[in-house]
Amino acid sequence: MTSALLARAAELDARDPLRAYRDRFVGSDDPEVVAYLDGNSLGRPLRASAERINAFVTGAWGGRLIRGWDEQWFDLPITIGDMLADTVLGAAPGQTTIGDSTTVLLYKLARGAIALRPERTEIVVDRDNFPTDRYILESIAQDHGSTLRWIEPDPRGGVGVEQLAAVVSERTALVVLGHVAYRSGYLLDAAAAALVTHDAGALLLLDLCHSVGSVPLELDSWAVDLAVGCTYKYLNGGPGSPAFGYVRAEHQDRFRQPIWGWMGRDQPFAMAQGYEPAQGIRQLISGTPPILGMLAIQDTLALIGEVGMAAVRAKSLALTEYSLDLTRELLVPLGVEIGSPTDPERRGGHIIIDHPRFAEITGKLWQRGVIPDFRPPEGLRIGLSPLSTGFGETAAGILAIRDELLA
Ligand SMILES: *Cc1c(COP(=O)(O)O)cnc(C)c1O
């Protein structure tokens, strides 16, 4: 059975139009890593990024020194923000910048958003939203005296538009939802969520951490108000690479974020008295942005530009479908349950499977070079980064999970 299964995986790899791109990643030929199934938590680096970072240290930083700020770095957060907008966000220029972490940017965007609806007292969020999102909103609610209205989604699915419609009202200032749920992989119908939110007169802030670079996005046409997302997952920016923030053009005149720093001031080098926000999206910046951390993102954006998001999504769906097939065949008979949507329209780039022994097995898998993520209480999350993950690798990973369950 195993050999037939591996032959089928080899056939899928041979037919994969994105197969060759996998070789562009550092470590794709490392025999110690049998299956990297966590590229949605920390993407692999591209070889081009190793070169770019090295060249930056010796050239732009070591050679141009402080002059680099005038020559390039001052505008880099906006330049890369526009590249991101164009390549993966479905957004016109001038609405996206990078810097800070997702956590901090989420705080800035959420505070700015509720200040746009001063007469409203409620923020809507769901229980399965990523912890940092829930905690940041708890902190804002406490400071601001707002009330959190919690949606309780199906843990194996996500927030349905009917559920959202049932909680929003004339009291809602802001709705904060994950686009792809970090645990179940459920893909929200973002355009419908925006419609329901706007019908209630509220604003929608989407967290795109688990969708950007794996699911095609159309922020402008979906009419999303604000968005945030990280760049070290499917965008392979490297550990701690800065997050991006999107503020829809129509809100930018009235929008004010709460951390007033010199780098987001109009004419920062005038060192003037009194804060005046910079024009446009630049106002979202607070302090000196992490230039080194922005380098690698550009290589993944160039690669996605070459391949196109439609091809990335097609491969992503093929990988998740294949993992579900293998799970049904090899793991469900051993008591494993599927915790992700089986409908491809509602599924992002990863799946999660549940079994009471997964907490114990994860360490053993890591030791044998099979690297998924454990998510409590008993979930093994299988991340399938479309540009760097192969079908043979996926099959080897799921076979190893079966072996550990049988051991
Ligand atoms: C990974 C992730 C984050 C991480 O936030 P950081 O500030 O980068 O630690 C936030 N939200 C979601 C949905 C995530 O998946």
Side-chain angles (χ1 to χ4, degrees), residues 40-41 100-104 106 129-133 178-182 207-210 228 230 232-233 240-241 243 381:
N40 62 331
S41 233
D100 304 316
S101 60
T102 295
T103 303
V104 170
L106 186 85
N129 211 318
F130 192 79
T132 219
D133 302 52
H179 187 216
V180 167
Y182 80 97
D207 184 332
L208 306 173
C209 282
H210 276 286
V228 69
C230 43
Y232 51 79
K233 292 174 178 165
S241 65
R381 196 179 64 180

Side-chain angles (χ1 to χ4, degrees), residues 1-41:
M1 175 166 99
T2 305
S3 63
L5 202 141
L6 290 175
R8 162 116 181 97
E11 190 190 310
L12 288 169
D13 273 326
R15 279 201 272 126
D16 170 14
L18 305 191
R19 170 70 188 83
Y21 294 103
R22 198 168 165 256
D23 302 334
R24 296 200 197 174
F25 289 86
V26 175
S28 52
D29 50 359
D30 178 355
E32 303 246 301
V33 178
V34 176
Y36 189 50
L37 303 176
D38 213 357
N40 62 331
S41 233

Side-chain angles (χ1 to χ4, degrees), residues 287-298:
T288 305
I291 301 298
L292 258 178
M294 294 175 194
L295 299 177
I297 305 164
Q298 298 169 76

Side-chain angles (χ1 to χ4, degrees), residues 62-254:
R64 300 312 295 159
L65 299 165
I66 193 76
R67 293 171 290 184
W69 281 109
D70 289 333
E71 291 166 3
Q72 190 191 26
W73 306 332
F74 184 73
D75 290 326
L76 203 59
I78 315 286
T79 314
I80 300 180
D82 284 345
M83 283 170 60
L84 246 152
D86 181 48
T87 315
V88 289
L89 299 182
Q95 305 176 100
T96 312
T97 184
I98 53 177
D100 304 316
S101 60
T102 295
T103 303
V104 170
L105 265 183
L106 186 85
Y107 176 79
K108 289 157 75 168
L109 290 178
R111 281 282 308 263
I114 59 175
L116 290 174
R117 295 286 182 275
E119 69 292 353
R120 294 174 172 233
T121 54
E122 293 183 359
I123 303 172
V124 170
V125 58
D126 71 284
R127 289 276 176 206
D128 287 343
N129 211 318
F130 192 79
T132 219
D133 302 52
R134 290 183 270 119
Y135 305 156
I136 286 291
L137 295 175
E138 284 173 20
S139 127
I140 291 176
Q142 192 176 71
D143 272 6
H144 205 259
S146 350
T147 303
L148 295 183
R149 287 290 304 266
W150 295 97
I151 297 175
E152 306 278 350
D154 167 5
R156 296 199 160 161
V159 176
V161 175
E162 336 65 56
Q163 278 181 303
L164 177 61
V167 294
V168 290
S169 73
E170 70 291 343
R171 292 181 301 278
T172 314
L174 176 67
V175 173
V176 181
L177 297 173
H179 187 216
V180 167
Y182 80 97
R183 196 177 190 288
S184 75
Y186 175 86
L187 173 61
L188 177 78
D189 183 343
L195 263 179
V196 167
T197 303
H198 294 155
D199 273 350
L203 296 167
L204 176 64
L205 195 179
L206 278 191
D207 184 332
L208 306 173
C209 282
H210 276 286
S211 59
V212 67
S214 108
V215 176
L217 305 172
E218 293 295 339
L219 295 187
D220 284 355
S221 62
W222 294 341
V224 171
D225 300 290
L226 308 134
V228 69
C230 43
T231 60
Y232 51 79
K233 292 174 178 165
Y234 293 104
L235 296 179
N236 314 310
S241 65
F244 63 88
Y246 163 95
V247 179
R248 193 173 184 76
E250 69 183 75
H251 298 308
Q252 286 179 14
D253 284 347
R254 291 177 53 232

